Amino acid sequence: METIVIQYRVRPEQVTTHLTLLRAVYAELAGTRPAGFRFVTLQLDDGRSFVDIALAPELPGPLPQLESFRRYRAGLEARCEERSTSGFTAVGSYGFGE
């Protein structure tokens, strides 16, 4: 299973737009239900910082095929002040489908 973590902070004036685009991605994922793909977005307490975690047999998985994700991704750099991507190794988990 491949994993990726994306951390970013959205410009204050872009948070509402960002959340609208992100909700569309999750709605399309719920409609297509891609097998073996897991994706979670966490909004941190500052309201502007986010962490995406994607797990799949092969990444980027189904995301590039989703129209909503293409719209979301098209303006992501302009919406963000900071952005970084990294892989990770889980050292423990509970309830994440071990």
Side-chain angles (χ1 to χ4, degrees):
M1 183 79 63
E2 290 185 41
T3 57
I4 192 166
V5 176
I6 304 166
Q7 302 170 3
Y8 53 97
R9 185 167 51 236
V10 174
R11 299 178 190 286
E13 71 278 6
Q14 293 293 319
V15 172
T16 301
T17 298
H18 183 75
L19 289 170
T20 299
L21 291 165
L22 192 56
R23 286 182 186 115
V25 171
Y26 279 99
E28 192 169 357
L29 283 170
T32 58
R33 303 187 59 79
F37 182 73
R38 295 180 185 168
F39 187 59
V40 63
T41 300
L42 308 171
Q43 184 177 18
L44 304 185
D45 288 343
D46 68 5
R48 297 177 44 215
S49 297
F50 295 83
V51 176
D52 294 336
I53 302 171
L55 295 96
E58 189 174 313
L59 289 172
L63 291 175
Q65 287 78 41
L66 302 178
E67 177 61 34
S68 59
F69 184 76
R70 290 191 296 268
R71 283 192 307 269
Y72 166 81
R73 185 65 183 95
L76 185 59
E77 298 300 325
R79 288 192 308 275
C80 291
E81 291 179 344
E82 298 175 26
R83 188 168 174 271
S84 66
T85 304
S86 60
F88 70 91
T89 301
V91 295
S93 71
Y94 177 81
F96 280 87
E98 295 83 12

